[in-house]
Amino acid sequence: MEIKNVMVVGAGQMGGGIAQAFAEAGYNVKLNDIKQEFVDNRLEIISKGLQHQVEKGRLEQQEFEEIMTHLTPSVSYDDAADIDLVVEAATENEKIKLSIFKELDEVAPKEAILASNTSSISITKIAGATKRHTQVIGLHFFNPVHAMKLIELNIGLTTSQETIQVVQKVGESLDKTVIMAKDSAGFVVNRILIPMINEGICVLEEGIASAEQVDEAMRLGSNVPMGPLELADFIGLDVVLSIMQTLSANFGDTKYRPAPLLVKHVEAGMLGRKTGHGFYNYE
C-alpha cells in the first residue's frame, strides 16, 4: 500500500508539528480540528515558522510555498473519505480517542490505516473501537516534532505485519528513526521518562532540594538537556499526570503513584509553560 494522502486529527502543537513533517516530506496533508479557528491558527504558526527559515537562508522561498500547498484545513471527519493514513493527535484522553477512532472508522476508506500519537493508551483498546483491527497502530512522535528524531511504532495485539511495514516506511520517509514497541502502557520512552519526572517532583515535595537544584543536579549529574521539573513544565503537568495515572491503572504498582504535588498543581490549573506557571513562573 502506498501512502500519499494523510489526515492529522488535532491542530495543537503536536498535531501541527506532525502535519508539517508530513508536508515537508511531500505528503498531501489535511489538518483537522473541531473549530476552523484552531486549524487556521496552527497553519499560520507553521507558515510563520517556515518563513523564518527562509529569512535565515535555511529554506528556499519555492520550498516554503511547496510545503504550504501540501497543507489543507479540515473541520470534518468526512474529509477522511479519500485518506490513506490518519494520524490522531488529540488530547491524551482515552474516551475522546476511542470516540474519534470510532467515527473515523465509519468514514475512512476500508484499506486506510488509522494511527494514534498516544503516549500511553493501549493501541489494542483503540483498535477495538474500530472494525479494522489489523489496520490500527501507534505512531508516537515526540515534541518538538521537527527536532526529535524518534518515532515509536506501537504495535497492538491485532496489528498486521503489513500495517507495521507500511507505517515503518512512512516514519522513515520523514527522516526519523523508528523503533518497535509492543503494546504496553507508556511504551518505551514514557514508561521510563514519566516516572523519572514524577520522582523529581517527589524530591521537591519532600524538601530534599529546590526546583532549580533538582534540575541542575540532573542536567550536570546525568547529562540530560533538561531537568525533570523543567521538562514536566514543557510537556504539560496535565499530560504528565494523565500518563502516570495510566501507568498506575495498568500496572497496579505503587511506584507509579502520581506525586501529590503534581496532582495539586493540575487541580490549581498550574500546568507549566502553556498556562504561564508550573514548577516555574513563565509570566
Side-chain angles (χ1 to χ4, degrees):
M1 179 181 179
E2 185 178 4
I3 304 297
K4 293 182 178 179
N5 301 312
V6 178
M7 174 182 277
V8 177
V9 177
Q13 186 173 5
M14 280 302 301
I18 294 168
Q20 181 176 335
F22 273 102
E24 288 179 351
Y27 293 90
N28 300 314
V29 185
K30 293 179 182 178
L31 181 58
N32 173 278
D33 213 313
I34 57 175
K35 290 185 178 180
Q36 187 71 46
E37 62 187 278
F38 296 163
V39 180
D40 291 343
N41 180 59
R42 184 53 56 183
L43 290 175
E44 183 178 355
I45 290 171
I46 292 172
S47 178
K48 286 181 177 178
L50 291 171
Q51 285 175 331
H52 182 68
Q53 295 299 311
V54 173
E55 291 166 6
K56 292 290 185 179
R58 298 171 186 160
L59 190 71
E60 296 293 330
Q61 178 67 27
Q62 185 177 350
E63 292 176 305
F64 157 66
E65 293 172 0
E66 178 71 17
I67 292 168
M68 293 307 298
T69 63
H70 285 290
L71 289 163
T72 305
S74 166
V75 290
S76 172
Y77 292 152
D78 289 342
D79 293 333
D82 61 349
I83 292 298
D84 304 314
L85 170 67
V86 178
V87 182
E88 171 272 319
T91 185
E92 191 70 1
N93 179 291
E94 183 178 297
K95 184 177 180 180
I96 291 173
K97 288 186 185 293
L98 294 179
S99 175
I100 289 171
F101 272 79
K102 186 175 182 180
E103 290 188 57
L104 287 169
D105 185 47
E106 297 295 325
V107 178
K110 63 179 182 179
E111 66 276 8
I113 293 171
L114 306 183
S116 176
N117 185 57
T118 180
S119 54
S120 62
I121 298 169
S122 167
I123 297 301
T124 302
K125 191 168 189 177
I126 291 174
T130 75
K131 298 172 184 174
R132 61 182 81 199
H133 301 176
T134 62
Q135 296 156 245
V136 177
I137 195 167
L139 189 61
H140 183 209
F141 292 80
F142 293 83
N143 189 32
V145 176
H146 72 276
M148 303 297 278
K149 291 295 185 181
L150 179 67
I151 289 177
E152 282 183 327
L153 208 59
N154 304 317
I155 302 162
L157 181 65
T158 57
T159 307
S160 71
Q161 191 61 39
E162 180 184 4
T163 297
I164 295 168
Q165 291 172 348
V166 169
V167 180
Q168 180 181 9
K169 184 177 178 181
V170 168
E172 291 171 347
S173 75
L174 304 179
D175 194 28
K176 305 292 185 185
T177 296
V178 180
I179 67 164
M180 306 289 180
K182 290 182 180 180
D183 191 17
S184 179
F187 312 117
V188 176
V189 174
N190 283 329
R191 171 80 176 268
I192 299 167
L193 177 65
I194 300 301
M196 184 272 285
I197 291 174
N198 192 64
E199 194 63 25
I201 298 170
C202 290
V203 169
L204 174 65
E205 186 169 20
E206 293 170 22
I208 296 171
S210 68
E212 292 81 1
Q213 290 171 332
V214 169
D215 284 334
E216 186 172 26
M218 291 304 293
R219 284 196 303 271
L220 300 181
S222 61
N223 202 31
V224 294
M226 296 177 72
L229 305 180
E230 294 177 277
L231 186 54
D233 277 355
F234 181 75
I235 295 170
L237 302 190
D238 53 335
V239 177
V240 173
L241 176 59
S242 175
I243 296 172
M244 281 302 297
Q245 289 171 331
T246 299
L247 293 172
S248 180
N250 277 269
F251 298 118
D253 193 316
T254 55
K255 71 180 180 180
Y256 297 116
R257 180 180 69 92
L261 185 59
L262 171 61
V263 177
K264 289 181 191 288
H265 271 68
V266 174
E267 289 176 343
M270 298 162 59
L271 308 182
R273 288 181 178 271
K274 61 187 173 184
T275 60
H277 200 165
F279 291 111
Y280 295 94
N281 190 343
Y282 302 94
E283 294 176 343

